[in-house]
């Protein structure tokens, strides 16, 4: 980052810190006397511990329970969170000023030491967070702490005074205010963690600092939150109760919606979008997102160690048919790791992306023959129980069978089982997806770089890794972008994953739910930004 860039970043920080961030009910809108919402979350959360939460579903809930240094509002903009302002002191040092009226749900003040404790605990290998190394690379000594090579106390975070947090980075990180909107890097109430141990996230034990408190949690059914009267902005929080359902099946989700037992569908089943637009024109919501649907290869599994096999399978999936006929909900074909709208690197597609399918199939057959893979070979594909993912998997199964003679055995399971299976490497091929945590190419590159805890394909391209490291340390934004783009292309030539389509999330939301914006490319809808209109 150049000095000019630093100045721009500081100005941006000041601008953001002065922005309005409370939930806004437009003039003329009359609120309903009952402010409650039932929203499906797509799956059972793997944890409500903000340090451990990894999936979209778990983070949706922890984002209501906890507030990080910054936050993302309903339009997807970075706004102040528990920190009311921040400043970049020098290229690698930031300070965050906490609100002096921020409290925990038990009335304790939220202090800088709570943030320091939360970040050190998150990075500590004893916590076993699957994001520790991913975010740790952006904190001074953070990666070394996450890998157990340094103690947590050496991470680049400290309390300057009771309400000031200093974060040091190993190189300029212009997007740090975005990064610390993620609750993994937020405060945690040390006393309750130490008192209850692993049970501190249970109802009655949890002490949180967000707009809501945990009232009830019935595993595989629902999580119920209630408004936190101690929250610093409680007067602008309209919803008094939010019930998160954990329904994975899209058809069941829609049936609950139509029966009035759900007001916020997680995701429409594939192929239903057009019909739903006609049936519920005022309730269907859909917008492009910074997200990628993809399949992982377990590249260390003997059946997928040969890059020619991975390339052949990647080439012949017809993304146009997948997007237009199978999902049929406005998503766009993807042929690379970087999605459209992502900053910090260019979108790079495979050179064969525009080839006629017949040429792709011919080349894929040649690659398989060279690798010694014969028609009739069988692979196993793991996915979570969802009509959406099942339909996509059946499409892939058909493509590989008809074009290459490859058999695919489908293996369905609960989402949290799939998540663990992917991290353990206990699969051959697996369904995966990623929605941006912050808008920078390093976020998606974490899926394919060495030593990343978000790398589920276990591929490591040393040259690509070196380019990423060079890019991260570059103070020239143009050079940084060039290096990260080059790294993305080089690593993707290893074919560690199969990019399929760029996300959109078509869903049904009752017309009386206010505050829902189509500008939110990260699909982050804090319940504090929503309200119920009189109906």
């Amino acid at each position: 980052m150049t000095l000019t860039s630093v100045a721009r970043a500081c100005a941006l920080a000041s601008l953001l810190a002065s922005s309005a961030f409370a939930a806004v009910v437009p003039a003329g809108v009359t609120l309903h006397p009952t402010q409650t919402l039932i929203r499906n979350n797509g799956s059972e959360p793997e944890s409500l511990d903000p340090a451990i939460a990894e999936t979209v579903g778990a983070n949706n809930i922890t984002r209501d329970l906890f507030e990080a240094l910054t936050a993302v509002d309903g339009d997807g903009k970075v706004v102040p969170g528990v920190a009311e302002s921040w400043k970049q002191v020098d290229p690698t040092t930031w300070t965050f000023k906490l609100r002096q009226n921020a409290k925990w749900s038990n009335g304790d003040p939220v202090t800088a030491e709570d943030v320091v404790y939360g970040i050190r605990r998150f990075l500590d290998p004893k916590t076993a967070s699957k994001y520790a190394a991913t975010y740790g690379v952006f904190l001074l000594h953070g990666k070394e702490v996450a890998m157990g090579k340094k103690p947590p106390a050496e991470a680049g975070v400290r309390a300057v005074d009771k309400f000031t947090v200093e974060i040091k980075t190993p190189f300029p990180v212009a997007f740090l205010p975005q990064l610390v909107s993620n609750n993994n890097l937020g405060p945690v109430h040390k006393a309750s963690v130490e008192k209850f141990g692993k049970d501190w996230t249970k109802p009655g034990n949890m002490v949180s600092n967000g707009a809501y408190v945990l009232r009830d949690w019935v595993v595989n059914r629902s999580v119920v939150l209630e408004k936190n009267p101690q929250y610093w902005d409680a007067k602008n929080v309209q919803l008094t109760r939010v019930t998160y359902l954990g329904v994975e099946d899209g058809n069941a989700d829609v049936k609950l919606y139509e029966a009035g037992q759900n007001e916020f569908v997680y995701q429409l089943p594939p192929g239903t979008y057009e019909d739903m637009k006609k049936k519920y024109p005022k309730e269907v919501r859909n917008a492009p997102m910074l997200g990628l649907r993809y399949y992982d290869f377990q590249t260390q599994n003997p059946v997928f160690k040969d890059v020619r096999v991975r390339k052949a399978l990647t080439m012949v999936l017809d993304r146009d048919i997948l997007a237009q006929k199978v999902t049929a909900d406005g998503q766009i074909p993807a042929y690379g790791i970087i999605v459209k709208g992502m900053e910090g690197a260019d979108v790079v597609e495979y050179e064969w992306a525009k080839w006629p399918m017949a040429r792709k199939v011919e080349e894929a057959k040649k690659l398989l023959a060279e690798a010694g893979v014969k028609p009739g070979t069988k692979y196993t594909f793991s996915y979570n129980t969802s009509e959406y993912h099942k339909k996509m998997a059946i499409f892939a199964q058909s493509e590989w069978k008809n074009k290459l003679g490859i058999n695919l055995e489908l293996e369905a399971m609960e989402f949290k089982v799939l998540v663990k299976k992917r991290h353990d490497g206990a699969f051959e091929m697996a369904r995966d997806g990623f929605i941006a945590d912050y808008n920078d190419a390093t976020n998606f590159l974490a899926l394919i770089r060495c030593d990343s805890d978000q790398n589920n394909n276990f591929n490591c391209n040393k040259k690509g890794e070196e380019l990423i490291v060079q890019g991260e340390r570059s103070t020239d934004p143009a050079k940084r972008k060039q290096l990260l783009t080059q790294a993305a292309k080089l690593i993707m030539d290893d074919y560690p994953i199969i990019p399929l389509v760029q996300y959109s999330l078509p869903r049904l939301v009752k017309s009386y739910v206010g505050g829902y914006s189509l500008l939110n490319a990260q699909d982050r809808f804090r319940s504090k930004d929503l309200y119920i209109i009189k109906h």
Side-chain angles (χ1 to χ4, degrees):
M1 179 182 287
T2 63
L3 290 177
T4 303
S5 299
V6 172
R8 281 201 299 270
C10 292
L12 177 61
S14 300
L15 177 63
L16 289 170
S18 63
S19 300
F21 38 82
V24 177
V25 180
V29 169
T30 303
L31 294 177
H32 197 274
T34 303
Q35 291 291 312
T36 62
L37 175 68
I38 302 174
R39 55 188 287 189
N40 186 33
N41 207 27
S43 62
E44 170 71 12
E46 70 277 9
S47 174
L48 295 184
D49 184 332
I52 296 174
E54 175 188 8
T55 63
V56 171
N59 278 295
N60 283 341
I61 301 174
T62 59
R63 203 171 294 123
D64 278 354
L65 291 169
F66 296 89
E67 188 166 69
L69 289 169
T70 64
V72 173
D73 70 7
D75 287 335
K77 297 177 182 175
V78 176
V79 296
V82 73
E84 61 184 359
S85 65
W86 53 89
K87 181 180 179 183
Q88 189 171 18
V89 179
D90 62 45
T92 58
T93 306
W94 296 71
T95 56
F96 293 81
K97 288 284 186 183
L98 306 192
R99 303 173 187 282
Q100 297 192 22
N101 61 340
K103 295 180 181 178
W104 292 98
S105 54
N106 67 351
D108 289 349
V110 180
T111 68
E113 288 293 350
D114 294 327
V115 178
V116 173
Y117 172 71
I119 293 177
R120 288 177 177 173
R121 177 176 176 271
F122 161 65
L123 294 172
D124 191 337
K126 293 177 183 174
T127 305
S129 172
K130 296 301 182 185
Y131 257 93
T134 300
Y135 290 162
V137 297
F138 301 115
L139 273 65
L140 186 65
H141 303 319
K143 185 175 181 181
E144 292 84 352
V145 174
M147 298 180 74
K149 296 178 179 177
K150 286 183 179 292
E154 291 196 25
V157 57
R158 72 181 182 101
V160 176
D161 57 41
K162 188 174 181 180
F163 297 108
T164 306
V165 177
E166 179 188 86
I167 294 179
K168 283 190 172 292
T169 61
F171 42 81
V173 180
F175 50 85
L176 191 72
Q178 287 188 55
L179 186 70
V180 296
S181 70
N182 292 285
N183 278 309
N184 310 77
L185 294 165
V188 171
H189 191 258
K190 182 179 180 181
S192 59
V193 174
E194 292 184 342
K195 179 178 180 181
F196 296 108
K198 66 179 181 180
D199 290 335
W200 80 277
T201 57
K202 290 186 176 180
N205 297 346
M206 178 183 283
V207 174
S208 58
N209 75 319
Y212 295 88
V213 294
L214 178 63
R215 184 57 59 204
D216 192 26
W217 181 5
V218 180
V219 174
N220 290 325
R221 194 177 77 185
S222 64
V223 175
V224 179
L225 312 184
E226 289 185 352
K227 182 175 175 178
N228 177 8
Q230 298 283 359
Y231 182 55
W232 64 270
D233 198 25
K235 66 180 184 299
N236 290 312
V237 176
Q238 304 301 335
L239 296 180
T240 58
R241 172 181 281 243
V242 182
T243 301
Y244 282 94
L245 305 178
V247 179
E248 291 194 34
D249 182 85
N251 291 314
D253 191 4
V254 172
K255 285 181 180 176
L256 287 171
Y257 182 88
E258 293 182 319
Q261 298 175 46
N262 175 22
E263 297 162 297
F264 190 120
V265 166
Y266 180 72
Q267 174 180 267
L268 286 174
T272 66
Y273 176 57
E274 292 300 327
D275 287 342
M276 288 296 172
K277 278 203 300 184
K278 295 173 185 171
K279 193 173 183 181
Y280 303 106
K282 295 182 179 179
E283 300 177 33
V284 166
R285 320 292 174 100
N286 195 12
M289 295 175 54
L290 295 174
L292 180 68
R293 297 187 189 276
Y294 63 97
Y295 290 164
D296 289 306
F297 288 113
Q298 213 301 21
T299 59
Q300 301 309 300
N301 188 302
V303 300
F304 286 125
K305 276 205 165 185
D306 192 321
V307 66
R308 294 171 296 187
V309 180
R310 304 196 297 265
K311 181 177 180 180
L313 294 176
T314 302
M315 291 180 75
V316 301
L317 290 182
D318 194 322
R319 275 78 161 174
D320 291 330
I321 293 177
L322 176 65
Q324 294 167 18
K325 304 292 185 184
V326 180
T327 60
D329 50 15
Q331 299 184 78
I332 56 177
Y335 295 91
I337 187 69
I338 303 298
V339 299
K340 292 182 179 177
M342 180 59 61
E343 297 176 357
D346 292 324
V347 175
V348 178
E349 297 184 337
Y350 287 120
E351 74 283 0
W352 47 259
K354 303 299 183 187
W355 289 6
M357 182 52 72
R359 185 180 172 192
K360 294 178 187 175
V361 172
E362 181 183 3
E363 176 67 15
K365 286 181 175 178
K366 180 183 169 187
L367 290 167
L368 289 180
E370 290 173 355
V373 175
K374 299 178 180 177
T377 298
K378 186 178 77 175
Y379 300 120
T380 302
F381 179 83
S382 305
Y383 71 102
N384 54 303
T385 309
S386 153
E387 187 62 26
Y388 205 101
H389 304 310
K390 181 180 179 180
K391 194 167 182 178
M392 289 180 66
I394 290 173
F395 169 74
Q397 182 185 48
S398 173
E399 289 278 272
W400 288 326
K401 176 66 176 177
N402 294 332
K403 293 175 178 173
L404 303 175
I406 298 296
N407 296 317
L408 197 66
E409 182 175 297
L410 304 182
E411 180 184 56
M413 60 203 72
E414 287 183 12
F415 184 44
K416 59 183 178 182
V417 176
L418 176 66
V419 171
K420 185 176 187 308
K421 203 177 182 72
R422 289 192 308 226
H423 283 311
D424 291 345
F427 66 96
E428 291 184 356
M429 273 194 285
R431 196 287 295 180
D432 215 330
F434 191 77
I435 296 174
D437 302 308
Y438 56 94
N439 190 353
D440 185 77
T442 52
N443 198 195
F444 276 77
L445 290 173
L447 305 177
I448 55 173
R449 66 183 299 182
C450 305
D451 299 327
S452 168
D453 35 25
Q454 289 298 303
N455 178 340
N456 291 329
N457 54 76
F458 302 91
N459 182 64
C460 175
N461 186 311
K462 297 288 187 184
K463 290 183 179 177
E465 181 68 21
E466 178 55 31
L467 289 172
I468 294 174
V469 172
Q470 289 178 30
E472 286 176 331
R473 282 159 175 72
S474 175
T475 56
D476 180 345
K479 182 67 175 176
R480 180 181 188 273
K481 187 173 187 178
Q482 176 200 334
L483 289 166
L484 296 185
T485 302
Q486 190 180 348
K489 182 180 185 310
L490 187 64
I491 300 173
M492 288 301 284
D493 280 344
D494 287 346
Y495 293 86
I497 68 171
I498 305 178
L500 296 169
V501 288
Q502 181 168 351
Y503 261 99
S504 67
L505 262 187
R507 58 166 58 107
L508 290 164
V509 180
K510 294 292 185 184
S511 58
Y512 55 73
V513 177
Y516 191 97
S517 170
L518 296 179
L519 301 177
N520 198 326
Q522 291 174 257
D523 196 41
R524 292 188 176 189
F525 292 100
R526 297 181 300 176
S527 296
K528 68 167 283 187
D529 294 322
L530 304 175
Y531 51 89
I532 305 300
I533 302 167
K534 187 176 182 180
H535 58 279

